[in-house]
Amino acid sequence: MRQNSGLHSLRGQTMIRRNFLKTVAGGSAVAIAGCMGNGDSNGDETTEPSSDGGDTSTSTPADSGSDSGSDGGSNLPDQMNLGLSSPARGVFSFPLWPGLERRLEEQGSSMSANAFSGHTPTAGALVQGDIVTGYMGLPSLLKAQQEGLPLVAIHSFMQEYNFPMVTQPDISGWDQLEGSTIAIHAPTGASSVITQYMLNQELDAPDDVELTYIVGSGNRASALRSGDVDAACILASPAEQLSATGNGNILAYPQEYEGLSNMLTNVWVALEPDLEERSDSLQVFVDEMQASYSRMFEGDHEAIISEAEESGEYPDYEQEAWANALETATDSPPLWPESKETSLPAENINRTQDLLVEIGEIEEEAVKPVDEITDRRFLE
């Protein structure tokens, strides 16, 4: 596979928010950008175009208002500010919209989604205290921790790779991809991990495939429709839409491969000082986020899809596309944790680290014990 890779080096290490703020306020994002490697690739890997294509980021304080509690007795801020590494929407975000948003509103609070273009600005927003928590890919978290940023995973976001390989409609087998052009997001990130693994498993000469970098699943889907590429590794929702409309053929899902299953791909991350300083807000977030995850498994799928469509947050996809993507997400192994006990599974974290080292996504030195990567206090 012909591709370029690189890792920016960290220019400085900081261990407490005060030092982070000096760095950010001084106009230098070198430390944060460096720790994220080739930066925002993982963040956009959970993307497809939003309904209006806009950026919903704000600079509202992370947990605005009083923590005096809701009618139910939980310590809820008036507004819960979260960091998303993309403004995109898909089945992966159903637990957020309308799931978590609705649950918070029922308790007298609200959710503010601060959408960023990748994981680097998400880390910066955590450092500056603009958000309570945000999600990032496990490789980005490992690189950040390796460089001294006190970030820890507090809950799972996506526990599986959710990017099928989609080809032109007339391509039905892997042998037809010999010497082809395949679109992925960037040299690093979920689509890169999946594509490299699949090609190594399926092709005799994987290096003969040309990988082209196109940011965003929606843009890669457009490139496939226009005939600019032979295949693309994209999110399940746009993949199912291409299939439903006859514009693409889903060649394989990552879950079909033992080596790509039972993973931990994206996590909700918090700054270590915030584990105490914002413990009430973080506990509410984890509780309500898990309740939203659980509904994906226990609720009626037609009702969930209808609510998502009525929210106005999602692309205008065929019902078949949404239904197939949601079924895949709740199948075994599931995209989200079914309970707090199954969130941040240690075995999956170790399997993912092994895979990332195997394909060169992270260096061996970045591998860490699970208890240094995660903090489970809000999952107890």
Side-chain angles (χ1 to χ4, degrees):
M1 291 159 285
R2 299 191 293 274
Q3 59 176 347
N4 297 319
S5 62
L7 180 66
H8 300 296
S9 63
L10 185 70
R11 303 284 185 187
Q13 295 185 359
T14 51
M15 293 303 294
I16 58 175
R17 185 194 306 278
R18 177 182 311 151
N19 291 332
F20 291 142
L21 290 174
K22 288 180 181 178
T23 300
V24 176
S28 172
V30 175
I32 295 174
C35 80
M36 308 307 280
N38 191 3
D40 303 334
S41 58
N42 250 1
D44 192 73
E45 286 312 343
T46 53
T47 72
E48 58 189 85
S50 62
S51 55
D52 61 4
D55 188 336
T56 58
S57 50
T58 71
S59 58
T60 312
D63 43 3
S64 304
S66 169
D67 272 354
S68 58
S70 66
D71 291 342
S74 60
N75 291 314
L76 270 174
D78 294 335
Q79 180 171 287
M80 181 83 70
N81 287 342
L82 308 178
L84 313 179
S85 294
S86 163
R89 308 287 185 265
V91 158
F92 73 92
S93 61
F94 276 10
L96 287 166
W97 292 278
L100 180 64
E101 181 179 52
R102 182 170 296 178
R103 293 187 66 84
L104 292 177
E105 287 175 351
E106 289 174 352
Q107 298 185 54
S109 185
S110 64
M111 182 180 79
S112 174
N114 300 264
F116 305 106
S117 298
H119 292 303
T120 297
T122 302
L126 282 166
V127 165
Q128 296 181 82
D130 291 338
I131 57 176
V132 175
T133 181
Y135 74 77
M136 63 175 57
L138 184 61
S140 293
L141 174 60
L142 292 172
K143 292 170 187 176
Q145 291 182 333
Q146 185 183 21
E147 299 298 349
L149 294 179
L151 301 174
V152 290
I154 60 168
H155 201 4
S156 296
F157 179 48
M158 293 198 294
Q159 295 197 160
E160 296 296 330
Y161 289 114
N162 194 35
F163 296 78
M165 183 65 68
V166 186
T167 67
Q168 291 291 341
D170 60 345
I171 295 178
S172 58
W174 284 100
D175 59 328
Q176 294 174 269
L177 290 180
E178 294 280 4
S180 65
T181 299
I182 298 178
I184 62 175
H185 170 75
T188 60
S191 65
S192 175
V193 171
I194 294 164
T195 299
Q196 290 181 66
Y197 186 90
M198 287 183 174
L199 294 181
N200 287 338
Q201 294 292 312
E202 301 290 353
L203 300 184
D204 293 332
D207 289 341
D208 289 344
V209 171
E210 180 178 358
L211 300 182
T212 185
Y213 309 132
I214 301 176
V215 173
S217 283
N219 292 330
R220 295 196 292 281
S222 295
L224 195 64
R225 282 195 300 269
S226 64
D228 293 337
V229 297
D230 300 302
C233 188
I234 61 177
L235 273 168
S237 304
E240 293 290 351
Q241 175 70 3
L242 287 172
S243 177
T245 56
N247 291 304
N249 175 51
I250 298 178
L251 193 59
Y253 265 90
Q255 293 91 327
E256 298 173 28
Y257 297 83
E258 182 179 355
L260 289 174
S261 298
N262 298 305
M263 296 286 168
L264 183 64
T265 62
N266 285 266
V267 292
W268 290 103
V269 173
L271 206 64
E272 285 187 357
D274 286 348
L275 300 180
E276 294 292 340
E277 295 173 13
R278 289 177 171 158
S279 61
D280 289 344
S281 294
L282 288 170
Q283 185 66 69
V284 169
F285 167 77
V286 171
D287 291 345
E288 299 303 332
M289 191 75 258
Q290 184 56 54
S292 295
Y293 288 150
S294 297
R295 184 168 182 258
M296 298 299 107
F297 301 97
E298 301 165 1
D300 178 75
H301 281 192
E302 288 187 8
I304 292 171
I305 293 170
S306 177
E307 291 170 6
E309 291 177 325
E310 291 172 1
S311 72
E313 294 284 345
Y314 293 91
D316 185 19
Y317 286 170
E318 301 287 332
Q319 282 287 314
E320 177 186 350
W322 288 125
N324 289 344
L326 184 55
E327 181 179 359
T328 299
T330 53
D331 203 356
S332 180
L335 182 61
W336 309 288
E338 296 184 69
S339 67
K340 287 184 180 180
E341 290 74 19
T342 60
S343 181
L344 303 178
E347 182 178 353
N348 291 26
I349 293 174
N350 289 329
R351 280 173 53 84
T352 305
Q353 291 191 98
D354 290 342
L355 173 63
L356 295 173
V357 171
E358 176 186 336
I359 65 170
E361 180 80 0
I362 63 172
E363 300 294 332
E364 184 74 42
E365 295 76 25
V367 174
K368 302 187 71 172
V370 172
D371 60 1
E372 294 182 17
I373 300 170
T374 67
D375 190 299
R376 298 187 59 87
R377 72 182 69 188
F378 304 113
L379 297 170
E380 301 301 330

